[in-house]
């Protein structure tokens, strides 16, 4: 420790650079850890704190937490909801297929995000640039301040400039790539013109599946004006040129300052003891030698500074190329890429998420089982009348909670779709004459599949088909629950089993009604 402090005091700038480098490394490690392991760490913490003695979720349960809610205890629902945060209810085969289709429609199926090793290279270049700028700016950042203050200010300013350049060059590359996609869009369009703009996302990916490639790009590209824009590129180019010229000029002034100091140190006459003529000859020889040496230093220094300026510009061009090479121009292309790039097939995608779901389900059921003795203990103090609606333990599982969550989500989506469809029907009915409706319905039937003879009937059938599909999915889900209960040994006379039978019968009757219609 005593040996380190003198070194730090004697090399303040170097010590500050080392300290800042260590801080940057720690920040990078924390960022990578957060990006790759945050979800796993949070899930582990959820499991740990749930069963933690005294301070855990189960240990702190109180009577107010065990009210009856839809056949469950409120505490159980909250626990299942905590685990459901890590279990994606939106995972289905369509998400994978739509994501792949989205990238294909945008002509971005071969692109990816910036690789991690490229980011490491960029960070290394930032540090090198900052070190170079720090030595250039050290004497001019805060004039009149102490040497240590100037060094710290120069280092901070250098890192700010370097990070700003990384951001701007990366954005410039992205802007160039987006402009290339806009140009591609117009080239493929061949001056035909575009149809009405549709805001296509992954969820409604198939809405324009019959459109041209140019129209698909038009509907998905992340652009407000659909015109090329060069604002970021222009601004970045000006900044790069100014910094390259400015840094070279400052280096040149530092060199001239050093050369002047050399002259001042040799101005003392060391030949005073010699005869005047001999001393004058010797002084002239020394002055000529110094002049030649300084001319060589000046030429070599400026050549080095020009090389450094060219290298600096090249590094910035490299940053622009990185931004152009990696990244996306579609509004949801990055999401689509994240949904698909780890999986070669739909089976791999579904197996991965099924394995994740099963792991979460197992852990959640373990915690539910550990919670129930505590719930029974609290329930005994409150009596049993208010808990008559609580369903059997075999029903109150995480899987049933998960299935109900999916059902509610799908029901909400279907309701919204029905409302949008009904709104479209009303607008069509009020704004279009009946013969025009029949004509459009006929065109629609010929383009897709035989439906009915009029547009209102066609739309009505679409609504009925949507509802029938949802009822079929619900029926299959209830039948799986019924089979699971039978495997667990539940009796057919049990009220829970009878409720399932009644629900299945009602849905079957509704489906028969659709078939008869």
């Amino acid at each position: 420790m005593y040996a380190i402090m003198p070194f730090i005091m004697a090399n303040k700038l170097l010590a500050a650079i080392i300290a800042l480098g260590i801080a940057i490394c720690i920040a990078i490690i924390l960022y990578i850890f957060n990006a790759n392991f945050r979800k796993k760490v949070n899930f582990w913490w959820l499991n740990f704190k749930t069963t933690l003695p005294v301070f855990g979720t189960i240990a702190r349960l109180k009577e107010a937490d065990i009210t009856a809610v839809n056949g469950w205890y409120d505490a159980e629902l909250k626990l299942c909801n905590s685990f459901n945060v890590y279990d994606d209810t939106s995972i289905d085969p369509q998400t994978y297929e739509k994501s792949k289709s989205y990238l294909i429609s945008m002509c971005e199926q071969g692109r990816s995000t910036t690789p991690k090793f490229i980011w490491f290279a960029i960070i290394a270049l930032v540090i090198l640039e900052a070190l170079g700028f720090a030595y250039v700016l050290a004497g001019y950042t805060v004039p009149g301040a102490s040497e240590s203050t100037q060094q710290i200010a120069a280092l901070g300013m250098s890192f700010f400039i370097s990070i700003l350049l990384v951001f701007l060059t990366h954005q410039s590359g992205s802007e160039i790539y987006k402009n290339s996609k806009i140009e591609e869009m117009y080239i493929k369009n061949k001056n035909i013109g575009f149809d009405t703009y549709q805001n296509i996302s992954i969820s409604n990916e198939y809405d324009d599946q019959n459109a041209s490639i140019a129209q698909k790009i038009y509907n998905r590209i992340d652009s407000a004006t659909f015109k090329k824009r060069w604002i970021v590129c222009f601004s970045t180019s000006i900044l790069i040129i100014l910094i390259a010229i400015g840094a070279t000029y400052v280096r040149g002034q530092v060199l001239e300052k050093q050369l002047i100091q050399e002259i001042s140190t040799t101005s003392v006459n060391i030949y005073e003891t010699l005869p005047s003529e001999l001393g004058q000859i010797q002084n002239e020889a020394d002055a000529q030698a110094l002049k030649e040496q300084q001319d060589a230093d000046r030429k070599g220094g400026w050549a080095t500074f020009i090389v450094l300026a060219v290298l600096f510009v090249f590094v910035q061009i490299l940053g622009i190329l990185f931004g152009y090479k990696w990244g996306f121009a579609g509004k949801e292309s990055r999401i689509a890429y994240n949904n698909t790039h780890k999986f070669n097939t739909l089976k791999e995608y579904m197996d991965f998420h099924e394995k994740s779901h099963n792991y979460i389900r197992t852990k959640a059921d373990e915690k539910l089982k550990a919670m129930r003795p505590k719930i029974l203990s609290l329930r005994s103090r409150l009596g049993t009348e208010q808990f008559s609606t609580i369903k059997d333990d075999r029903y109150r599982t995480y899987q049933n909670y998960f299935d109900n969550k999916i059902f509610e989500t799908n029901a909400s989506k279907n309701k919204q779709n029905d409302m949008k469809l009904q709104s479209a029907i009303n607008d069509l009915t009020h704004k279009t004459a009946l013969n025009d409706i029949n004509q459009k319905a006929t065109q629609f039937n010929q383009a897709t599949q035989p439906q009915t003879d009029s547009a209102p009937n066609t739309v009505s059938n679409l609504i009925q088909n949507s509802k029938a599909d949802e009822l079929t999915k619900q029926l299959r889900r209830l039948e799986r629950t019924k089979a699971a209960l039978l495997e667990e040994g539940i009796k057919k006379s049990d009220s829970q089993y009878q409720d399932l039978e009644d629900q299945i019968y009602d849905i079957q009757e509704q489906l028969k009604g659709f078939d008869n219609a």
Side-chain angles (χ1 to χ4, degrees):
M1 183 66 182
Y2 293 106
I4 295 175
M5 291 306 298
F7 172 80
I8 294 176
M9 296 304 295
N11 302 275
K12 294 179 181 179
L13 181 58
L14 181 59
I17 292 171
I18 294 173
L20 190 57
I22 293 172
I24 291 173
C25 291
I26 293 173
I28 293 170
I29 292 170
L30 290 176
Y31 175 80
I32 295 173
F33 181 84
N34 180 68
N36 292 277
F37 303 104
R38 180 181 60 181
K39 186 175 180 179
K40 293 180 180 179
V41 172
N42 289 346
F43 186 72
W44 171 88
W45 175 248
L46 173 64
N47 282 273
F48 177 77
K49 75 171 185 177
T50 300
T51 53
L52 184 68
V54 184
F55 301 106
T57 304
I58 296 175
R60 291 186 294 107
L61 280 179
K62 48 187 181 296
E63 294 174 357
D65 297 326
I66 62 167
T67 54
V69 180
N70 297 328
W72 292 68
Y73 294 105
D74 186 44
E76 292 177 328
L77 289 176
K78 289 180 179 177
L79 179 67
C80 288
N81 189 60
S82 297
F83 278 86
N84 186 243
V85 171
Y86 303 95
D87 199 1
D88 195 347
T89 57
S90 65
I91 298 301
D92 58 54
Q94 284 192 352
T95 300
Y96 179 82
E97 296 295 348
K98 286 181 177 180
S99 296
K100 289 189 69 174
S101 176
Y102 190 95
L103 292 173
I104 293 172
S105 298
M106 193 61 202
C107 300
E108 292 187 320
Q109 62 268 35
R111 292 183 68 84
S112 66
T113 55
T114 306
K116 292 178 181 177
F117 74 90
I118 293 296
W119 281 117
F120 280 115
I122 291 172
I123 291 167
L125 291 175
V126 167
I127 294 174
L128 290 175
E129 280 183 355
L131 296 180
F133 283 133
Y135 283 104
V136 172
L137 302 175
Y140 302 96
T141 307
V142 188
S146 65
E147 183 180 354
S148 60
T149 302
Q150 287 182 343
Q151 290 173 347
I152 293 172
L155 191 61
M157 182 63 69
S158 300
F159 268 99
F160 171 76
I161 293 173
S162 299
I163 293 171
L164 179 63
L165 285 171
V166 168
F167 173 77
L168 288 176
T169 54
H170 197 80
Q171 289 300 114
S172 297
S174 299
E175 187 176 66
I176 294 172
Y177 170 68
K178 188 180 294 185
N179 288 338
S180 71
K181 293 301 293 184
I182 292 174
E183 183 178 3
E184 178 186 354
M185 176 181 75
Y186 283 107
I187 290 174
K188 292 181 181 297
N189 183 253
K190 297 179 181 178
N191 298 321
I192 297 174
F194 295 101
D195 296 334
T196 303
Y197 171 75
Q198 291 178 272
N199 186 13
I200 299 297
S201 61
I202 294 175
S203 60
N204 64 337
E205 159 62 18
Y206 297 138
D207 284 5
D208 65 344
Q209 59 181 334
N210 295 324
S212 64
I213 296 177
Q215 182 68 36
K216 288 181 178 180
I217 297 175
Y218 179 76
N219 291 337
R220 291 164 179 78
I221 195 166
D222 186 15
S223 175
T225 62
F226 305 103
K227 295 180 180 179
K228 295 180 183 180
R229 302 185 67 180
W230 302 97
I231 296 174
V232 179
C233 291
F234 182 71
S235 303
T236 304
S237 299
I238 292 177
L239 184 63
I240 291 171
I241 293 171
L242 289 177
I243 291 176
I245 294 174
T248 303
Y249 175 77
V250 172
R251 288 188 176 106
Q253 293 304 304
V254 171
L255 175 62
E256 292 298 330
K257 182 180 177 181
Q258 291 175 348
L259 295 177
I260 292 171
Q261 289 175 347
E262 287 182 3
I263 294 175
S264 64
T265 58
T266 59
S267 61
V268 179
N269 188 359
I270 61 174
Y271 304 110
E272 293 178 353
T273 58
L274 296 177
S276 58
E277 293 182 359
L278 183 60
Q280 184 179 357
I281 294 171
Q282 191 63 46
N283 284 330
E284 290 176 356
D286 289 346
Q288 182 63 29
L290 178 61
K291 184 178 180 301
E292 292 176 356
Q293 178 185 341
Q294 287 190 329
D295 288 341
D297 290 340
R298 184 176 287 107
K299 292 177 182 178
W302 276 104
T304 303
F305 301 154
I306 292 171
V307 170
L308 289 174
V310 172
L311 184 61
F312 167 77
V313 173
F314 173 77
V315 170
Q316 307 317 309
I317 294 174
L318 193 62
I320 294 173
L321 291 175
F322 287 160
Y324 178 84
K325 174 67 176 177
W326 292 285
F328 302 94
K331 291 188 292 290
E332 294 193 2
S333 292
R334 184 180 294 272
I335 299 173
Y337 171 78
N338 291 334
N339 287 340
T340 58
H341 78 281
K342 295 180 181 178
F343 315 102
N344 294 321
T345 62
L346 174 61
K347 185 177 184 305
E348 289 183 10
Y349 173 82
M350 294 304 297
D351 288 347
F352 174 83
H353 289 290
E354 183 68 21
K355 183 179 178 181
S356 175
H357 167 70
N358 290 337
Y359 178 73
I360 295 171
R361 181 194 65 189
T362 301
K363 290 296 181 181
D365 286 338
E366 288 177 2
K367 305 310 175 187
L368 285 172
K369 187 176 180 180
M371 177 181 283
R372 280 167 184 159
K374 178 74 173 182
I375 290 177
L376 293 176
S377 174
L378 294 171
R379 173 177 169 171
S380 63
R381 306 175 194 172
L382 301 173
T384 58
E385 295 182 1
Q386 58 180 303
F387 302 109
S388 58
T389 59
I390 296 295
K391 296 181 180 180
D392 189 84
D393 289 358
R394 288 170 292 185
Y395 174 82
R396 301 192 326 270
T397 62
Y398 176 77
Q399 184 62 50
N400 279 336
Y401 172 88
F402 183 81
D403 290 341
N404 289 334
K405 197 84 171 177
I406 292 178
F407 175 75
E408 292 172 1
T409 302
N410 291 337
S412 176
K413 289 180 180 178
N414 289 333
K415 185 177 179 180
Q416 292 176 2
N417 291 335
D418 289 348
M419 291 175 64
K420 291 179 180 178
L421 196 56
Q422 190 61 47
S423 176
I425 295 170
N426 294 335
D427 292 341
L428 191 65
T429 303
H430 285 90
K431 294 180 179 179
T432 310
L434 183 61
N435 58 352
D436 190 30
I437 297 175
N438 293 332
Q439 182 181 358
K440 290 183 178 180
T442 302
Q443 294 173 353
F444 175 79
N445 294 337
Q446 292 174 350
T448 55
Q449 56 184 7
Q451 294 287 333
T452 58
D453 294 334
S454 64
N457 289 336
T458 301
V459 178
S460 177
N461 285 344
L462 290 173
I463 296 175
Q464 289 185 0
N465 290 339
S466 176
K467 291 181 177 178
D469 290 341
E470 179 57 37
L471 288 171
T472 302
K473 293 178 182 178
Q474 185 180 358
L475 178 63
R476 291 173 180 171
R477 198 177 294 115
L478 291 173
E479 287 177 343
R480 287 199 300 270
T481 304
K482 173 182 170 183
L485 291 174
L486 289 173
E487 289 179 1
E488 293 174 358
I490 191 172
K491 296 181 180 179
K492 292 186 177 181
S493 59
D494 191 284
S495 59
Q496 182 182 351
Y497 184 86
Q498 293 296 327
D499 290 342
L500 275 176
E501 286 282 6
D502 292 340
Q503 294 179 43
I504 291 172
Y505 176 78
D506 290 341
I507 293 175
Q508 288 173 341
E509 289 298 313
Q510 292 182 54
L511 288 173
K512 288 180 181 178
F514 283 123
D515 292 339
N516 293 333

